[in-house]
Amino acid sequence: METHQMVDPHESALQECDRLFKHFDERATRHKKSFSRYKYSSVALTVGVTVISALQAIYTPSLAWQWVLPVASGLAAYFTTMVHATNAQELWLRARTMTHRLAAERFLFLQSAGPYVGGQANDVRLFSNRLMEVWAGGHAQWEQAIEQQKVV
């Protein structure tokens, strides 16, 4: 005989909020790392190209080292392009905004504040609807950012 556990709608809604928060938090962390990696690599390589150019002007490089400047210059151009081409900073900020919105919604729900003042019977349903609105809005913004990335 199967036993069905009663699922508390309040706890279920909070678990879904936590799952969505974790999803957007992981996404924000991933995009932040990508943006930082591209940005700092770009800056370091650009400085490196400047230093190498100055050293090559002072000292005549041996034939074995003449490849360094073009390679460093090409990598600097690549990382600079990737900063803009991937929209990593924008995607990072969008995902982080979603985590803030979800945290704020969760806080209001737990405190019975804002739109959750009053009828407790409808609070869980309202909270669930608002979570899905936040998620749908975040997903639509993410799709828009990806489409803009394809155009660039």
Side-chain angles (χ1 to χ4, degrees):
M1 178 186 227
E2 287 185 33
T3 59
H4 294 285
Q5 293 179 341
M6 289 293 292
V7 178
D8 180 17
H10 186 271
E11 281 302 312
S12 178
L14 287 172
Q15 287 174 355
E16 181 62 14
C17 181
D18 292 342
R19 186 191 69 77
L20 289 172
F21 183 90
K22 183 179 177 189
H23 169 77
F24 283 109
D25 187 55
E26 288 171 353
R27 186 180 276 185
T29 301
R30 186 175 65 244
H31 291 304
K32 180 181 180 181
K33 285 180 182 179
S34 294
F35 173 71
S36 296
R37 188 177 313 121
Y38 293 142
K39 182 179 72 170
Y40 291 122
S41 296
S42 171
V43 170
L45 286 165
T46 301
V47 169
V49 166
T50 305
V51 170
I52 293 168
S53 295
L55 290 174
Q56 283 187 352
I58 297 171
Y59 306 105
T60 305
S62 68
L63 291 174
W65 288 97
Q66 287 183 347
W67 62 270
V68 174
L69 182 61
V71 169
S73 183
L75 286 172
Y78 169 76
F79 283 111
T80 301
T81 302
M82 291 304 288
V83 166
H84 301 289
T86 61
N87 282 351
Q89 182 180 19
E90 182 180 346
L91 294 171
W92 161 37
L93 292 174
R94 286 179 189 268
R96 185 58 60 212
T97 299
M98 296 306 299
T99 61
H100 290 292
R101 288 181 65 195
L102 289 166
E105 202 65 43
R106 187 179 203 280
F107 177 78
L108 290 173
F109 177 65
L110 289 174
Q111 297 300 315
S112 297
Y116 306 107
V117 174
Q120 289 218 351
N122 292 325
D123 283 356
V124 172
R125 188 173 299 128
L126 177 61
F127 180 61
S128 297
N129 284 337
R130 289 177 62 103
L131 282 182
M132 291 303 104
E133 287 172 4
V134 168
W135 177 83
H139 190 69
Q141 288 178 349
W142 179 78
E143 284 180 341
Q144 181 183 15
I146 296 299
E147 287 301 316
Q148 287 174 350
Q149 181 180 338
K150 290 178 184 177
V151 172
V152 173

